[in-house]
Amino acid sequence: MTATFTPTTAAGRGLRHRRPRRSAVPYLVPLVIWAGAVGVLALWWSDTSSVVGPSGWLTGAGRITGLLAGYACAVLLALMARVPLVDHTVGTDRLARWHALGGRCTVALALAHTLLIIWGSSLTSHTNVLSQTATLVLDYPDLLKGTIGFLLFLVTGVLSARAARRRMSYETWHYLHFATYLAVFLAFGHQLSNGADFVSNRTAQVAWYALFLGVAALIAWYRFAVPVRRGLRHRLRVAAVHPEAPGIVSVHLTGHRLDQLGGAPGQFLRWRFLARGLWWTANPYSLSAPAHPGHLRITVKTAGGHSAALALLRPGTRVWAEGPYGAFTADRRTSPKVLLLAGGVGITPLRTLFETLPGQVSLVYRARRPDDLALRGELDAIAARRRAVVHYVVDEPAAYSSPLNARALSALVPDLAAHDVYLCGPPGMTQAAIRALREAGVPARRIHHESFAL
């Protein structure tokens, strides 16, 4: 195969394949969210006897959008509360996409609510819009706080847009989102104080309190209490830092009962290194070897200030880890035949899957140059041990380059359409690989990938 670079080729048996049980959670979560939205609309319907005139229609629409915006805030926070049952079945990247889409809808609903209520109220009171805005904000209980919360939410939404997101660091973007907690807190009281659907409806008030207090409890437990408890329990420290390839290092960590922290092969954790310049942020990195009771390892490519600083970590540095997160695990597999397709440092989660996935497993590892093939010795040893197939594809030298298209992949992996494919690499490579796999006949449900970012 001229497209491979010194491949290890030993076809045959892999580990014993067992068909995993499919979880219903990814299907139930959207149903529960939409059912809640229907319940919110039913609340408005039950408290509305009639809608008369333009002011009534505008005010009614403002009430509906306000109720939905408040409910959407609770949903947004719940999606990113990192509840293991949801995160490990739906997948962190899918939850993040739902969260981003929901955020845009929530901002639109909140903005529509504000404009519709002001417009409808000005028609009812026969005043101009500016005068009515001042009256609402300054004279109605909790509405000044609600306005501040709305503005905070609006600013966060604008700065989270893709164009603005590219201009700020991951750490700045991450901490900016904590402003949404304050925004939701400030807006919450205004709904109960001024919302016509809550003022005289004790049942609705209790349900609203239960919804938001329940979400707050999930966030407090899974995003704060659990990481602190695990940090104290596992006592992680840096053991050593070893170079693997140009710009790529492995960080070895020691601690107590780390196999209980590491999770399933393919998952990732958020790592906080208690060293100067690193302690204030936690970045996501996947394990590059199966978890061991006394040892964990991550392999990182220099792609920014945080990842570059990891190469300078000193042994003994304390570490806090949150997770594990993600659904990029063996549970997604549906076929006894599996292709692992890696690009660059995307080999890290696939290396753990290569060692542990049951069934017939093949690995295609793409990199720019032979020197960039990190963990190659380990991959060859795993392939020999489990009698699997590895293909190394590099761009340089040109004699070993290969396009990332359906024809080239099908030449490397016979019967490609019958495989499950686990895919991890840079965004451009991932998108090109998905197109190639679909053209090669691989069903979308058998293409598994995760961005490993929150």
Side-chain angles (χ1 to χ4, degrees):
M1 297 179 182
T2 58
T4 63
F5 181 81
T6 58
T8 300
T9 55
R13 300 172 299 179
L15 304 177
R16 185 175 179 181
H17 167 72
R18 292 181 181 178
R19 189 178 184 87
R21 292 181 295 178
R22 306 297 289 177
S23 173
V25 174
Y27 306 99
L28 291 176
V29 170
L31 288 177
V32 170
I33 292 173
W34 284 109
V38 171
V40 168
L41 293 176
L43 173 62
W44 172 85
W45 181 266
S46 66
D47 286 337
T48 304
S49 57
S50 62
V51 180
V52 180
S55 62
W57 282 103
L58 290 170
T59 304
R63 286 171 54 196
I64 291 173
T65 51
L67 286 169
L68 289 174
Y71 170 71
C73 286
V75 171
L76 288 180
L77 296 177
L79 286 176
M80 299 308 289
R82 302 174 188 167
V83 179
L85 176 64
V86 178
D87 184 272
H88 297 174
T89 52
V90 177
T92 305
D93 62 336
R94 190 188 299 181
L95 289 173
R97 289 196 298 270
W98 290 356
H99 176 82
L101 175 61
R104 292 190 289 270
C105 294
T106 304
V107 170
L109 287 168
L111 183 60
H113 163 70
T114 302
L115 297 177
L116 289 167
I117 288 295
I118 292 173
W119 191 5
S121 298
S122 67
L123 291 179
T124 301
S125 59
H126 304 287
T127 58
N128 62 67
V129 169
L130 293 178
S131 176
Q132 188 60 33
T133 300
T135 299
L136 290 171
V137 172
L138 299 177
D139 295 345
Y140 280 66
D142 293 321
L143 202 52
L144 179 58
K145 292 191 297 183
T147 301
I148 296 173
F150 165 69
L151 293 176
L152 273 174
F153 204 84
L154 187 62
V155 169
T156 303
V158 171
L159 293 179
S160 296
R162 185 174 300 177
R165 170 71 182 90
R166 287 196 294 262
R167 291 178 171 83
M168 67 179 72
S169 68
Y170 173 86
E171 293 80 8
T172 301
W173 173 83
H174 174 70
Y175 281 103
L176 174 68
H177 271 60
F178 282 108
T180 58
Y181 294 150
L182 177 59
V184 171
F185 174 77
L186 291 172
F188 177 77
H190 127 73
Q191 281 201 301
L192 295 179
S193 300
N194 302 293
D197 302 287
F198 295 104
V199 170
S200 58
N201 190 334
R202 176 60 66 179
T203 301
Q205 292 177 16
V206 171
W208 212 244
Y209 267 110
L211 173 63
F212 279 86
L213 289 176
V215 171
L218 291 176
I219 292 172
W221 180 251
Y222 288 111
R223 297 202 63 168
F224 297 98
V226 169
V228 170
R229 186 187 68 170
R230 288 178 174 172
L232 296 174
R233 180 184 186 188
H234 297 293
R235 290 175 281 177
L236 272 168
R237 291 184 181 272
V238 173
V241 179
H242 293 149
E244 300 287 358
I248 299 177
V249 298
S250 283
V251 180
H252 298 258
L253 305 116
T254 59
H256 300 270
R257 294 173 286 188
L258 298 185
D259 53 329
Q260 300 175 21
L261 173 66
Q267 291 185 309
F268 68 98
L269 297 95
R270 288 173 55 88
W271 304 89
R272 188 184 304 274
F273 297 90
L274 304 187
R276 180 176 297 180
L278 296 176
W279 64 267
W280 68 289
T281 185
N283 279 25
Y285 301 114
S286 56
L287 296 178
S288 59
H292 182 273
H295 178 260
L296 296 177
R297 187 185 71 183
I298 58 174
T299 301
V300 180
K301 180 178 181 179
T302 301
H306 186 278
S307 54
L310 298 188
L312 305 177
L313 284 171
R314 295 180 178 179
T317 301
R318 290 292 302 273
V319 184
W320 290 72
E322 304 171 25
Y325 301 124
F328 195 66
T329 65
D331 288 339
R332 286 192 173 186
R333 189 191 73 255
T334 61
S335 169
K337 296 181 179 181
V338 176
L339 167 63
L340 308 176
L341 181 53
V345 78
I347 190 61
T348 53
L350 297 185
R351 183 256 181 251
T352 62
L353 290 170
F354 189 41
E355 181 175 346
T356 59
L357 265 178
Q360 179 182 324
V361 180
S362 303
L363 171 65
V364 175
Y365 183 8
R366 302 179 63 90
R368 184 177 299 276
R369 298 178 301 270
D371 290 344
D372 296 327
L373 295 167
L375 309 175
R376 185 180 171 192
E378 296 180 20
L379 298 173
D380 288 339
I382 294 170
R385 185 166 63 249
R386 66 176 298 167
R387 301 170 65 182
V389 178
V390 180
H391 297 289
Y392 298 110
V393 181
V394 295
D395 296 330
E396 302 171 8
Y400 295 107
S401 66
S402 175
L404 185 53
N405 57 35
R407 182 176 179 180
L409 286 176
S410 297
L412 290 174
V413 185
D415 196 20
L416 178 58
H419 285 65
D420 272 278
V421 181
Y422 287 76
L423 170 63
C424 189
M429 175 263 184
T430 299
Q431 295 170 7
I434 291 174
R435 288 194 299 269
L437 292 167
R438 297 292 289 121
E439 291 175 6
V442 181
R445 68 181 184 277
R446 288 186 175 176
I447 302 175
H448 316 299
H449 63 98
E450 204 163 61
S451 61
F452 297 93
L454 302 180

